[in-house]
Amino acid sequence: MAFTVRDSALGVQFALRVQPRSSRNAIGGVVSLGEQGGKKIEAVKLAITAPPVDGKANQAVIEFLAELFGVAKSSIAIVSGETGRNKVVAVRGLSAEQVRKALGV
């Protein structure tokens, strides 16, 4: 599977599929989200122990990714998908290659 990590004005962006209420916080590889306009959409699967209530899962995503990438929490932003499982996340201060390497994809 080809997973896309791209540079933007907000930082390096990538798609994320969040699974809240998991037994542990962990990266679960790359998953397909289907097709749009003839292109496959793929995302990193991220299991989070926090429930999807009152923004707790989003906060856990930001904390997990900040620790994984070794950046401040303020360097991580959820660009879209705040109320759903499918999200687009931006990371400031890292290159696309550094993000890809940290994610293991």
Side-chain angles (χ1 to χ4, degrees), residues 32-98:
S32 176
L33 300 179
E35 289 190 24
Q36 184 176 10
K39 293 176 75 178
K40 269 190 171 180
I41 301 172
E42 297 173 331
V44 169
K45 184 176 180 182
L46 176 60
I48 292 292
T49 58
V53 178
D54 299 328
K56 289 180 182 177
N58 286 339
Q59 187 60 36
V61 166
I62 290 169
E63 290 171 3
F64 179 85
L65 292 176
E67 186 175 327
L68 178 70
F69 297 134
V71 298
K73 290 185 280 188
S74 61
S75 296
I76 309 286
I78 297 175
V79 177
S80 67
E82 284 202 10
T83 59
R85 292 177 184 228
N86 298 330
K87 303 179 185 305
V88 175
V89 176
V91 181
R92 286 190 313 255
L94 295 177
S95 70
E97 186 59 35
Q98 289 171 310

